[in-house]
Amino acid sequence: MTDINLERSAQRARRLRLLAAAGALALLLAALAAWLAGSAGRSRDEEPSGAAVPAVRAADRLVLMFPASVTPPDLPLVQAEMNRYLLGKLDASVEIKPVDMSSWWDRTGLVYASGSQVDLMFTAGWMRFGDEVSRGRFLPLDELLQRAGAGISRVLDPEILRASRIGGKLYGIPTNKEFAASKGIVLRADLVEKYGIRLDTVRTLADLGPVLETIKRGEPALTPLQVRADRSPLTFLLQYGLFDMLGDGPGVLERAGGSLRVVNLAATETYRDYARLMQEWKLKGYLNADAVTSRDSEYEAVKAGAAFAFAESMKPGFEIQASRNTGMPMVAVELTKPYTTTADVTSAMFAIPRTSRHPEKAMRLLELLYTDRDLLNLLDWGIEGKHYVVRPDGRIAYPPGVDARSVRYNFNLPWMFGNQLNSYLWDNEDPQQWDNYRRFNEQAEPSKALGFVFDPAPVSNEIAACSRVDEEFSPALITGELDPDAVIPMYLERLKAAGADKVIAEKQRQLDAWLAAGGASAGEGES
């Protein structure tokens, strides 16, 4: 963005968020001391200035909103090009609103409070999808899909659509992509080679310790492992790696073994062990000093030459994607095997909010992202000849003089939109990438609760109360800021007081009912 006032405003907002987070940590430390004595959230999400859109009737304007870590400088140019295309297709224009994830809930909350127009909004199982539905924020889509989105139904497997239903109704349309994930660590390839690091010896997260020590000693100006309070090895490996989170609120299902008992994740030995490891690494200086308050992208930290590694969810071709996003070669270590949960199937969807002015045209626009290769690739990669060129083999590359660091349109979010299998592959990607996706889906281990969608409505107050407790305690545990053996007992006590047991019991009740009705084979049975 070029508007200096907006930049200054965003900087002030960022400072305020950091101060608030630091204040919360100070309060937690004080609360911990008292408890022990007594027992012996600049986002770069503002609208791009100078966005050029063709002049059309205001009634035909559609607003597309999704999370993104950057607002590309050439977004106004791409938006204008999309609108020239859409005028002939839909007699409509689209306004693209990327929102930084750190302020997503504030911005979307304001949308619903003010009734601001948003016609298509990103959602996901890991982004409170069930809770958003229970609040009445998304429109049911079955009739709209039948009337204005038949092309989507021809692309998506009916089982995939079924997994995004709540109470038998469709509220989100999943992106056609991979429907599984493995978890692991992404590392700078140049430093792995420089220090002769043998990644084949890293089979568990604890095995990464000596690697981080090597980097700390050899590259003292570099952060060995970049983490955030919402993105660390603890969150990635535990959440939908070793446990199925079963939607919003406390209550998870352990991946290993055959148990169908819903448990409190923070009460498990696995959680405690990972939290201990994070604190050990924090004390050894392996993590960034501002981990508990940082909202900066790990990719940007690597791109800036400030970090060596970070945790992430993975899929076929992920190393190339990470290399493109950071602007330097990256390698990955897989620490969990591919796993498919309802959250993976619903990991990228678009919904039509109740604040939509034009729901039918919104569905028609969404359908084009599944059926129209030209429009999809314009949104994914920008303008041909300016942001990419098509090679004779059908893959794309940067134009002469442009690279991953200098390209001016760089959302790099092809997994988010429409039919990803229609998106261009880059010249350094495997030409068989989409076939690899299909095999990845087939080989993934399915969760015992695959297809189960938790309805949080009966315990929404308790979930909100538990969420507030999580916001107070989780950041310090996830980033190794405090001793988990001291903090976790108080954390569990506070969760219990907030109603965690009631939420867990409700999840268990719904899961048992879903299983009794036939589980995944029940189709649109109780969820």
Side-chain angles (χ1 to χ4, degrees), residues 244-310:
D244 186 334
M245 303 301 288
L246 301 177
D248 302 316
V252 302
L253 198 62
E254 188 172 7
R255 175 177 179 175
S259 175
L260 291 167
R261 186 169 71 90
V262 179
V263 299
N264 188 335
L265 176 61
T268 65
E269 281 301 313
T270 303
Y271 184 93
R272 190 182 294 264
D273 289 344
Y274 273 74
R276 286 169 176 159
L277 185 60
M278 298 313 301
Q279 194 199 28
E280 176 188 333
W281 287 356
K282 178 72 173 182
L283 294 174
K284 289 182 176 180
Y286 297 165
L287 313 183
N288 44 305
D290 63 347
V292 75
T293 57
S294 175
R295 292 296 180 267
D296 296 334
S297 164
E298 304 97 313
Y299 293 89
E300 293 299 315
V302 172
K303 181 182 289 187
F308 166 65
F310 54 91

Side-chain angles (χ1 to χ4, degrees), residues 428-447:
N428 60 350
E429 291 182 294
D430 187 343
Q432 305 304 313
Q433 176 84 313
W434 305 141
D435 289 334
N436 294 338
Y437 270 26
R438 294 184 183 95
R439 284 193 293 271
F440 185 70
N441 289 338
E442 292 168 359
Q443 295 169 3
E445 176 189 344
S447 166

Side-chain angles (χ1 to χ4, degrees), residues 173-214:
I173 306 295
T175 302
N176 191 40
K177 59 180 188 65
E178 89 293 339
F179 294 112
S182 57
K183 312 290 183 173
I185 305 294
V186 195
L187 315 93
R188 278 180 48 174
D190 60 334
L191 296 180
V192 169
E193 181 178 358
K194 176 180 177 178
Y195 292 101
I197 296 171
R198 290 191 54 190
L199 296 182
D200 60 341
T201 64
V202 180
R203 296 184 174 86
T204 68
L205 186 61
D207 292 339
L208 189 67
V211 175
L212 300 178
E213 178 64 24
T214 297

Side-chain angles (χ1 to χ4, degrees), residues 1 3 5-18 41-48 67-71 98-107 228 295-297:
M1 291 182 56
D3 190 294
N5 291 330
L6 285 176
E7 173 66 28
R8 288 173 177 168
S9 175
Q11 289 174 349
R12 287 195 298 271
R14 187 183 298 111
R15 288 196 296 269
L16 288 172
R17 286 197 303 273
L18 294 180
R42 155 172 118 85
S43 334
R44 301 185 64 189
D45 57 340
E46 284 80 6
E47 300 169 27
S69 61
V70 297
T71 298
V99 176
D100 190 273
M101 194 65 225
S102 64
S103 59
W104 176 263
W105 302 112
D106 291 338
R107 287 290 301 275
R228 296 183 353 185
R295 292 296 180 267
D296 296 334
S297 164

Side-chain angles (χ1 to χ4, degrees), residues 308-321:
F308 166 65
F310 54 91
E312 190 53 283
S313 294
M314 299 177 182
K315 58 188 177 182
F318 178 79
E319 291 178 338
I320 295 171
Q321 176 185 320

Side-chain angles (χ1 to χ4, degrees), residues 442-488:
E442 292 168 359
Q443 295 169 3
E445 176 189 344
S447 166
K448 294 165 284 191
L450 179 60
F452 169 72
V453 180
F454 173 57
D455 178 5
V459 286
S460 58
N461 291 335
E462 289 80 7
I463 289 176
C466 289
S467 179
R468 290 190 290 270
V469 175
D470 287 338
E471 289 169 1
E472 181 180 351
F473 286 87
S474 290
L477 292 167
I478 288 168
T479 61
E481 195 69 29
L482 296 177
D483 178 5
D485 290 317
V487 174
I488 287 177

